[in-house]
Amino acid sequence: MQDPTEVFRALADPTRRQILKALKRKDLPAGEITAMFNISFPSISRHLSILKAAGLVSERRQGNSIIYSVNSEHLALCLSEFISAVCPTEIIERHRSRKKP
Amino acid sequence: MQDPTEVFRALADPTRRQILKALKRKDLPAGEITAMFNISFPSISRHLSILKAAGLVSERRQGNSIIYSVNSEHLALCLSEFISAVCPTEIIERHRSRKKP
DNA sequence: ACAATATTTAGCTAATTTGCTAAATAGTTA
DNA sequence: TAACTATTTAGCAAATTAGCTAAATATTGT
């Protein structure tokens, strides 16, 4: 795994984490993502490009729009590798069976 | 779980991630941590206080020194909760059995 | 080719972050 | 209590980040 700094920096912003959560449910065009926040279109666009640079989202064009989707694979890989690098096995075991409350 | 912004911000810095990895092996006083980096004592001290504010390390006094240790529990909880919030179950399953290479 | 729609890029400001050195503080030991 | 050691706090400079508005670009549809 390459340096995960960009991934963690990308995740450090609440708006970007919200975007990822929204994309978990459904792939969305930038316009619909913007509509969910009280933030200008260009600002969301920049958040998306930061997420893209970190490898956390992918884009595809569909007609007039650009549809974004989460790269859950990459996200899970980075975070779980880091957990392994810092937490003792015993703790990791304990969290394996975790589900969202 | 409360807002994980502070946790992700803390993890966004490579020096702080290195500190956590070092502390996985062994609890250490701030002085010994500083000796591992090419960074001034006060800067490391601030990194430690950011990690502490994020709940990622604890400190205890031992004689003259203050010994730091990782809160792996908190770290694993925050990260695995976020993975669950963003990744589909199938991906999470695939990463459960991951070990560090 | 032109007009319309969707998104990104540029350029600015205010706030935050990281590094430094110097000074302050806390606890220990003589 | 004075001196010593370990660590933190203050204050400053340079770099980065997040927000904005205005302008540019790309694709579709007439």
Side-chain angles (χ1 to χ4, degrees):
Chain A
M1 165 71 47
Q2 79 275 10
D3 180 36
T5 298
E6 276 192 289
V7 169
F8 283 111
R9 294 190 91 90
L11 296 179
D13 183 275
T15 301
R16 289 192 289 264
R17 290 198 307 279
Q18 283 293 113
I19 291 174
L20 293 176
K21 288 183 189 179
L23 291 178
K24 181 198 183 179
R25 293 189 48 250
K26 190 163 172 304
D27 297 356
L28 292 170
E32 284 189 44
I33 297 171
T34 302
M36 308 171 106
F37 296 92
N38 240 349
I39 290 180
S40 75
F41 211 104
S43 298
I44 293 289
S45 176
R46 187 155 43 176
H47 282 308
L48 288 169
S49 83
I50 289 168
L51 288 168
K52 196 169 57 178
L56 295 176
V57 302
S58 305
E59 60 182 28
R60 64 176 189 279
R61 183 170 278 274
Q62 188 175 89
N64 230 352
S65 318
I66 294 176
I67 309 287
Y68 283 88
S69 53
V70 196
N71 284 345
S72 344
E73 186 63 51
H74 185 57
L75 192 150
L77 184 64
C78 284
L79 297 194
S80 60
E81 263 195 33
F82 184 71
I83 294 175
S84 298
V86 170
C87 302
T89 320
E90 165 219 344
I91 300 274
I92 296 172
E93 295 297 332
R94 196 180 310 153
H95 284 277
R96 271 200 187 148
S97 41
R98 270 203 80 71
K99 290 270 186 305
K100 228 177 80 174
Chain B
M1 165 71 47
Q2 78 276 10
D3 181 36
T5 297
E6 275 192 289
V7 169
F8 283 111
R9 294 190 88 90
L11 297 178
D13 183 276
T15 302
R16 290 194 288 265
R17 290 198 306 278
Q18 282 293 112
I19 291 174
L20 293 176
K21 288 184 189 179
L23 292 178
K24 181 198 182 176
R25 292 189 48 252
K26 189 164 171 303
D27 296 355
L28 293 170
E32 282 189 45
I33 296 170
T34 302
M36 308 171 108
F37 297 92
N38 240 351
I39 290 181
S40 73
F41 211 105
S43 298
I44 293 289
S45 177
R46 187 156 43 176
H47 282 308
L48 288 169
S49 82
I50 288 169
L51 289 168
K52 196 169 59 179
L56 294 175
V57 302
S58 305
E59 59 182 29
R60 63 176 190 278
R61 183 169 277 274
Q62 187 175 89
N64 231 353
S65 317
I66 294 177
I67 310 288
Y68 282 88
S69 53
V70 197
N71 285 345
S72 346
E73 185 64 51
H74 184 58
L75 193 149
L77 184 63
C78 284
L79 297 194
S80 59
E81 264 196 32
F82 184 70
I83 294 175
S84 298
V86 170
C87 301
T89 321
E90 165 220 343
I91 301 274
I92 297 172
E93 295 298 332
R94 197 179 312 152
H95 284 276
R96 269 195 190 150
S97 43
R98 270 201 81 71
K99 291 268 185 307
K100 228 175 78 171

